[in-house]
Amino acid sequence: MTPVQILDSTLRDGAQAEGISFSVNDRLELARILDGLGLHYIEAGNPASNPKDLAFFRQARELKLRRAKLCAFGATRRKGSAADADKSCAALLEANTPAVAIVGKGSSLHVDEVLKTTPAENLAMIEDTCRFFARAGREVIFDAEHFFDGYALDPAYALETLRAAARGYARVLVLCDTNGGAFPWQAAEITRKVCGEFPGCAIGIHAHDDGGMATAISCAAVEAGARHVQGTLLGFGERVGNAGLSAVIPNLQLKLGYACVEPGQLASLTQYALRAASVANTRLRGGTPFVGASAFAHKGGMHADGVLKNPASFEHIDPAAVGNRRRVLVSEMAGRAAVLPRVQRLYPDIGADDPALERIVAALKDRELGGYSYEGADASFDLLIRRSRETLPAFFELISYKVLDQLPYQGERSATATLRLRADGRVKTAEARGEGPVNALDLALRGALRAFYPALARVRLIDYKVRIMDSAAGTGSRVRVLITSGDGARQWTTVGVSHDIIEASWEALADSIVYILLNDYKIDGK
Amino acid sequence: MTPVQILDSTLRDGAQAEGISFSVNDRLELARILDGLGLHYIEAGNPASNPKDLAFFRQARELKLRRAKLCAFGATRRKGSAADADKSCAALLEANTPAVAIVGKGSSLHVDEVLKTTPAENLAMIEDTCRFFARAGREVIFDAEHFFDGYALDPAYALETLRAAARGYARVLVLCDTNGGAFPWQAAEITRKVCGEFPGCAIGIHAHDDGGMATAISCAAVEAGARHVQGTLLGFGERVGNAGLSAVIPNLQLKLGYACVEPGQLASLTQYALRAASVANTRLRGGTPFVGASAFAHKGGMHADGVLKNPASFEHIDPAAVGNRRRVLVSEMAGRAAVLPRVQRLYPDIGADDPALERIVAALKDRELGGYSYEGADASFDLLIRRSRETLPAFFELISYKVLDQLPYQGERSATATLRLRADGRVKTAEARGEGPVNALDLALRGALRAFYPALARVRLIDYKVRIMDSAAGTGSRVRVLITSGDGARQWTTVGVSHDIIEASWEALADSIVYILLNDYKIDGK
């Protein structure tokens, strides 16, 4: 397979996205994730424009990257000076990375309007700056800004800017669609011409998704001869975002036959994407191609049926090839056929025509009308199935809780929860202080149950999410709480719904404990 | 400009998306929105598979659509029978829509494996079914399922399926990339061949976004001769989603010169998209091409600068052409240049070199480090600016609050809030019961302030959002609350952050009231 090198710019272009900001620790962790996936370059900041970026590069030297080269990003030298007298170039050099990406103007319009210099001086700026870093032993990647617009306007000059970089020993010449306005067929045609002109350089593509074309442009450019692709793993970037590598890489590798990452790493792509989203404190959108939770989710009766008969009918690739999995969604639309496999996992004797199945589907619809959603809450769905079938053991029974939250704080914490419950025939009262009312209640519940169920000491809350459901109702809105718990070996998610966030959280908390007690105590109720 | 007809399937394919479900009222409202935008066909359901869909079509007759034709969707007749004896065909006819979309197998593999019939019978099923509806006066759109995969496998048979539909008087032959696995150049090549074979029919394209290519495929097919595009306005659809018309239409109309909707409607595209998202009870993702809130948002210092000098540098189209707008984001990265216009709106005398500006930027960075985000909270940002400049009038001062939340409920509601505050030199105590702790506190605050500031009676909470910021910390996570308030004429948004959701909500509530009192009482503090 022909190799294609990948440069990830999550830490540079990605940090330009609205709502994204990385701490130094986030950046180090993201660099480890990107290296783990096996990408070739990690573009990690602009040391000249941002002292925090320079500080990061200093710390980053301690990262033991197995494959990726760190890359610092900066602009060509100022007009009318020399690279070795330029402060920005000095800062870039100080970052001490094996590779540098130098951005220069690829369009005569921008030379004139933005740089306000002559075409010849722009060429000299590009050549000098590239040569300066090449002589200092850096691998130089030249990013030709506005290249496609510039080529449309004045192809001869656009090519001259690349020639200047090549004379300065740039190893990679990157064609940038800076405003994201190109179409893939335009990008492919221009890339093909450029590849013909520069047989000695690798040609790269840097696409933005403003027109919704970034993935297609990246793949089309590779088909036209590009061998270096720039993007960001999750598509983070200014405005609409950069080319999302989590879509570009599997398209190139699984469908078009290029080698980007090791095959074993590709089979964990979804896990890398989830870890990166978690560090970036964003949700990995369900509809993200290849790696989203919905990417292989089937809801319609016909589709859910068809995909079981022949997966290729409704799946463009095997989800396992990118570490994702097929899901048949539980919802009123899916009906009995989709619910049945879930029911049979718990009760193998229930068949498709069993009235018990009808009761479970009815209970599900009823809860969905009340605002519950089980699409992400598998453990609560298991409990719903079991409760519509049998009386589950009463591991504990809530008598009452009271949560008091006040300002000014009493002591160091704002909230106190008092809980009374019955377990094993005894009444137990527990009190706890917490950072907020839900935390206090959570601590009180664990405190009360510890004596009865020591195994619960291993259980941790892993994720806590709140969704306001009818937010237009203001502070009186209904709230859906999802809690993910884990005990080191397993993870499970439960759901609660109420107008009261504390009550919704209580419901999800209580379910999460019942779920693991049912499994740990092997009481299967049949 | 060459016309291209658009079919929106939000109400059919879009309803297959995870997390999406429409009530009958939602559907009627969405149909009005799609018609308002000026789309040509609204595919609104499958009356044969779903009695709710048939009920919708009955109600939909009362819609006075100005341009769009309603379209019912169904499959070809069963094998070995006749269309006029087929229950599904009868249900489709009963929907009584001007257009029908008939889906049939476009791939010999699926004829064999899924239909389990002969190639000849599949052709007869297609031809009979199309003819049945054409004779009944319907405009017939034939959707050739799995067409691109089928063409790759057996081009002659794939074309035969289209010929059968054409013999049955189908007006539009739609090439469907059912599993979303095609590339735009493949779709274009095959579309071009099909267009050459069927000069008398309109050729359509139906793309899914599994590979991240749906927008590009749709545009590439039109460039290759297709004159009918199917998709969903916001890209809703099974798995990753269908082609998003909010991106396809402006690409075709603004950049490639096709006429899809009236130009005046295109200039309101963002508003139509926002209304559709609101009816669907989803957030319009900021990074949605063309219509997302971030689509023309600039954060990086250099970019924010560049776009002010020459908009085309970093904007592929004029945002006004789709009803969107440019935003320069307030954040530590944007720096003084981006903050200055916001500061000058309040204090016109502060210039770029004023030390006051430096203090405001420092205060902003400090709050952002603490977890605040002002990107959506303009009112809190105004207050931050004013507070770093002057001492604002103390409209009220919190002495303490206590919120008690309990289960079982006391009376009908779960929470009681007691609040003590000082205003106008007097101490005022108020108590309120609410649906949950935040609602109770909100009601107590309004109760306490009513006597002092009667104008507050007009202020309503419009939206309440909660974001868990480090959700991996479980119930001890920090919480960011955004509250949008309105008084009928204005809307403003404030933010609060704390480990305690009640305290975070208090902060946002208090800011929202201070903000409107400052504006209503015209105390500008200078």
Side-chain angles (χ1 to χ4, degrees):
Chain A
M1 298 209 301
T2 308
V4 171
Q5 298 212 311
I6 308 287
L7 180 145
D8 183 285
S9 187
T10 301
L11 300 177
R12 208 265 307 168
D13 250 6
Q16 305 279 328
E18 182 166 13
I20 293 290
S21 90
F22 300 128
S23 68
V24 172
N25 273 336
D26 293 344
R27 289 170 166 224
L28 293 169
E29 185 58 24
L30 283 166
R32 279 184 209 106
I33 292 168
L34 298 167
D35 180 52
L37 175 56
L39 306 187
H40 306 84
Y41 301 93
I42 299 174
E43 188 174 80
N46 185 339
S49 85
N50 193 338
K52 266 174 34 181
D53 286 10
L54 192 53
F56 167 78
F57 281 113
R58 281 203 198 98
Q59 283 198 259
R61 282 172 213 160
E62 288 153 36
L63 284 170
K64 302 267 174 285
L65 300 181
R66 65 180 192 94
R67 174 165 174 168
K69 291 178 192 162
L70 278 180
C71 177
F73 172 90
T76 48
R77 66 153 171 85
R78 280 159 196 266
K79 57 190 172 189
S81 73
D84 55 11
D86 191 279
K87 270 192 195 169
S88 296
C89 291
L92 200 56
L93 202 62
E94 202 186 327
N96 200 18
T97 52
V100 295
I102 301 298
V103 62
K105 302 290 178 208
S107 155
S108 51
L109 179 76
H110 286 84
V111 172
D112 189 41
E113 283 195 357
V114 180
L115 273 189
K116 296 184 195 298
T117 189
T118 61
E121 172 62 5
N122 179 51
L123 298 179
M125 288 160 68
I126 294 169
E127 181 176 344
D128 288 358
T129 313
C130 290
R131 182 175 289 118
F132 172 76
F133 287 103
R135 283 191 176 156
R138 304 295 192 272
E139 182 177 339
V140 178
I141 297 166
F142 175 65
D143 291 352
E145 200 185 38
H146 301 294
F147 186 81
F148 295 104
D149 291 338
Y151 190 93
L153 202 69
D154 182 351
Y157 187 75
L159 290 173
E160 277 307 315
T161 65
L162 300 181
R163 268 187 211 108
R167 281 195 305 271
Y169 304 105
R171 286 264 303 272
V172 188
L173 307 176
V174 183
L175 317 183
C176 301
D177 180 30
T178 305
N179 70 12
F183 286 99
W185 50 90
Q186 300 167 340
E189 191 192 328
I190 294 174
T191 303
R192 195 168 291 115
K193 285 183 186 153
V194 170
C195 289
E197 298 272 334
F198 295 92
C201 289
I203 302 302
I205 180 75
H206 176 109
H208 287 262
D209 204 32
D210 296 76
M213 304 279 163
T215 307
I217 287 174
S218 304
C219 295
V222 171
E223 286 281 86
R227 292 294 174 261
H228 169 107
V229 175
Q230 302 193 345
T232 59
L233 181 59
L234 302 178
F236 296 158
E238 178 106 348
R239 310 184 309 270
V240 166
N242 288 45
L245 296 173
S246 67
V248 172
I249 292 170
N251 270 313
L252 290 177
Q253 191 149 334
L254 296 172
K255 298 184 180 178
L256 297 173
Y258 297 92
C260 305
V261 299
E262 304 110 299
Q265 303 313 101
L266 189 59
S268 300
L269 183 66
T270 300
Q271 287 67 49
Y272 285 104
L274 284 167
R275 283 173 57 199
S278 162
V279 173
N281 194 22
T282 60
R283 200 172 63 88
L284 184 62
R285 194 166 53 89
T288 308
F290 296 95
V291 297
S294 304
F296 302 94
H298 305 281
K299 181 159 145 183
M302 193 175 82
H303 282 201
D305 236 42
V307 84
L308 298 176
K309 282 189 187 148
N310 175 357
S313 301
F314 298 102
E315 289 176 355
H316 63 141
I317 60 158
D318 174 2
V322 292
N324 209 336
R325 65 189 180 92
R326 178 183 308 153
R327 293 162 60 225
V328 174
L329 298 178
V330 170
S331 95
E332 45 170 329
M333 270 181 95
R336 297 154 59 120
V339 173
L340 186 60
R342 297 284 299 274
V343 172
Q344 288 182 329
R345 239 166 37 194
L346 294 168
Y347 303 107
D349 55 309
I350 294 186
D353 300 322
D354 198 311
L357 183 62
E358 199 53 58
R359 278 199 302 279
I360 289 165
V361 171
L364 175 65
K365 287 188 184 186
D366 191 51
R367 302 283 275 187
E368 287 189 335
L369 274 176
Y372 289 79
S373 165
Y374 293 94
E375 286 178 3
D378 288 353
S380 283
F381 188 57
D382 274 6
L383 291 176
L384 175 75
I385 293 172
R386 301 183 76 150
R387 284 175 181 142
S388 42
R389 178 74 173 166
E390 62 186 296
T391 303
L392 296 186
F395 294 104
F396 61 93
E397 184 193 338
L398 178 73
I399 300 168
S400 65
Y401 67 66
K402 281 191 192 184
V403 181
L404 179 67
D405 188 277
Q406 52 196 334
L407 200 72
Y409 293 4
Q410 301 298 299
E412 281 187 0
R413 302 184 131 190
S414 56
T416 312
T418 316
L419 180 84
R420 278 165 65 78
L421 53 76
R422 193 175 287 115
D424 206 14
R426 285 179 289 158
V427 171
K428 174 91 185 161
T429 300
E431 189 175 290
R433 290 187 169 217
E435 298 194 284
V438 178
N439 186 230
L441 186 63
D442 176 24
L443 296 174
L445 177 62
R446 286 160 197 280
L449 291 177
R450 198 174 301 135
F452 302 102
Y453 305 107
L456 290 181
R458 286 200 312 273
V459 175
R460 295 266 172 282
L461 285 186
I462 289 176
D463 201 359
Y464 175 71
K465 284 185 192 148
V466 172
R467 166 111 193 255
I468 302 289
M469 279 153 55
D470 31 347
S471 60
T475 55
S477 311
R478 270 182 316 164
V479 171
R480 185 191 295 147
V481 168
L482 284 170
I483 286 181
T484 302
S485 311
D487 64 0
R490 291 160 292 187
Q491 286 193 13
W492 60 98
T493 301
T494 51
V495 61
V497 172
S498 168
H499 283 281
D500 184 323
I501 189 173
I502 301 176
E503 188 176 6
S505 305
W506 163 262
E507 188 182 3
L509 277 174
D511 258 16
S512 87
I513 286 171
V514 170
Y515 178 82
I516 194 61
L517 289 177
L518 269 176
N519 281 279
D520 265 20
Y521 285 71
K522 305 268 178 241
I523 300 166
D524 70 4
K526 271 182 300 176
Chain B
M1 300 208 300
T2 308
V4 170
Q5 299 213 311
I6 307 288
L7 181 146
D8 182 285
S9 187
T10 301
L11 300 176
R12 209 266 306 169
D13 250 4
Q16 306 279 327
E18 182 166 15
I20 292 291
S21 90
F22 301 127
S23 69
V24 172
N25 274 337
D26 292 343
R27 290 170 165 222
L28 293 169
E29 185 57 25
L30 283 166
R32 280 186 209 105
I33 291 169
L34 298 167
D35 181 51
L37 174 57
L39 305 186
H40 306 84
Y41 301 93
I42 298 174
E43 188 174 80
N46 185 339
S49 84
N50 193 336
K52 268 178 24 186
D53 285 11
L54 192 52
F56 166 78
F57 281 113
R58 281 201 197 97
Q59 283 198 258
R61 282 172 213 161
E62 288 153 38
L63 285 170
K64 302 270 174 283
L65 300 181
R66 65 180 191 94
R67 176 166 173 167
K69 291 177 191 163
L70 277 179
C71 177
F73 173 92
T76 48
R77 67 157 172 83
R78 281 159 195 267
K79 59 188 173 189
S81 75
D84 55 12
D86 191 279
K87 270 192 197 170
S88 297
C89 292
L92 199 56
L93 202 61
E94 204 185 327
N96 201 20
T97 52
V100 295
I102 302 299
V103 62
K105 302 290 178 210
S107 155
S108 51
L109 178 77
H110 286 84
V111 172
D112 190 44
E113 282 195 359
V114 181
L115 272 188
K116 297 183 193 298
T117 188
T118 62
E121 173 61 4
N122 179 51
L123 298 179
M125 287 159 67
I126 294 170
E127 181 175 344
D128 287 0
T129 313
C130 291
R131 182 176 288 117
F132 172 75
F133 287 104
R135 284 192 174 156
R138 304 295 192 272
E139 184 178 336
V140 177
I141 297 166
F142 175 64
D143 290 350
E145 200 185 39
H146 300 294
F147 186 81
F148 295 103
D149 290 339
Y151 190 93
L153 202 70
D154 181 350
Y157 186 74
L159 289 173
E160 277 306 316
T161 66
L162 300 182
R163 266 184 213 111
R167 281 195 305 272
Y169 305 104
R171 287 264 302 274
V172 189
L173 307 176
V174 183
L175 316 183
C176 301
D177 180 29
T178 305
N179 69 12
F183 286 98
W185 50 90
Q186 299 167 340
E189 189 191 330
I190 294 174
T191 303
R192 194 169 290 118
K193 285 184 185 151
V194 170
C195 288
E197 299 271 335
F198 295 91
C201 289
I203 302 303
I205 180 76
H206 176 109
H208 287 263
D209 205 32
D210 296 77
M213 304 278 164
T215 308
I217 288 175
S218 304
C219 294
V222 170
E223 285 281 87
R227 293 294 174 260
H228 170 108
V229 175
Q230 301 192 346
T232 59
L233 182 59
L234 302 179
F236 297 159
E238 178 107 347
R239 309 185 308 271
V240 166
N242 288 46
L245 296 173
S246 67
V248 172
I249 292 170
N251 270 312
L252 290 177
Q253 191 148 334
L254 295 173
K255 297 186 181 176
L256 298 172
Y258 297 92
C260 305
V261 299
E262 304 109 300
Q265 303 314 101
L266 189 58
S268 300
L269 183 65
T270 300
Q271 288 67 49
Y272 284 105
L274 283 167
R275 283 173 57 199
S278 161
V279 173
N281 194 23
T282 60
R283 199 173 63 89
L284 184 60
R285 194 165 54 88
T288 309
F290 295 95
V291 297
S294 304
F296 302 92
H298 304 281
K299 182 159 143 184
M302 193 175 80
H303 282 202
D305 237 41
V307 84
L308 298 176
K309 283 191 188 147
N310 176 358
S313 303
F314 298 103
E315 290 176 354
H316 63 138
I317 61 158
D318 174 3
V322 292
N324 209 336
R325 65 190 180 92
R326 177 184 308 155
R327 293 162 61 225
V328 174
L329 299 178
V330 170
S331 96
E332 44 168 330
M333 277 183 89
R336 296 154 58 120
V339 173
L340 186 61
R342 298 284 299 271
V343 171
Q344 288 182 329
R345 241 169 32 196
L346 295 167
Y347 303 106
D349 54 308
I350 295 187
D353 300 321
D354 199 312
L357 183 62
E358 200 52 59
R359 279 199 302 278
I360 290 166
V361 171
L364 175 66
K365 288 188 183 183
D366 190 53
R367 302 283 274 187
E368 288 190 334
L369 274 175
Y372 289 79
S373 165
Y374 293 93
E375 286 177 5
D378 289 351
S380 283
F381 187 57
D382 275 5
L383 290 176
L384 175 74
I385 294 172
R386 301 184 76 150
R387 284 176 181 141
S388 39
R389 178 74 174 162
E390 61 185 301
T391 303
L392 297 186
F395 294 105
F396 60 93
E397 185 195 336
L398 179 73
I399 299 168
S400 65
Y401 67 65
K402 281 190 190 185
V403 181
L404 180 67
D405 188 279
Q406 51 194 334
L407 201 71
Y409 292 3
Q410 301 298 299
E412 281 187 359
R413 301 184 131 190
S414 56
T416 312
T418 316
L419 180 83
R420 278 165 65 78
L421 55 76
R422 194 175 286 113
D424 206 14
R426 284 179 290 159
V427 171
K428 174 89 185 164
T429 300
E431 189 175 292
R433 291 188 167 214
E435 298 194 284
V438 178
N439 186 229
L441 186 63
D442 176 25
L443 296 174
L445 177 63
R446 286 159 196 281
L449 291 178
R450 197 175 302 133
F452 301 102
Y453 306 107
L456 290 180
R458 286 199 313 273
V459 175
R460 295 265 172 286
L461 285 185
I462 289 177
D463 202 359
Y464 175 71
K465 286 185 191 148
V466 172
R467 168 109 193 257
I468 302 289
M469 279 153 56
D470 30 346
S471 59
T475 56
S477 311
R478 268 181 318 163
V479 170
R480 184 192 295 148
V481 168
L482 283 170
I483 287 181
T484 302
S485 311
D487 64 359
R490 290 159 293 187
Q491 287 194 15
W492 60 99
T493 301
T494 51
V495 61
V497 172
S498 167
H499 283 282
D500 183 324
I501 189 173
I502 301 176
E503 188 177 6
S505 304
W506 163 262
E507 188 182 4
L509 277 174
D511 258 16
S512 89
I513 287 170
V514 170
Y515 178 81
I516 194 61
L517 289 177
L518 268 177
N519 281 279
D520 267 20
Y521 285 70
K522 305 270 176 236
I523 300 168
D524 70 5
K526 270 183 299 174

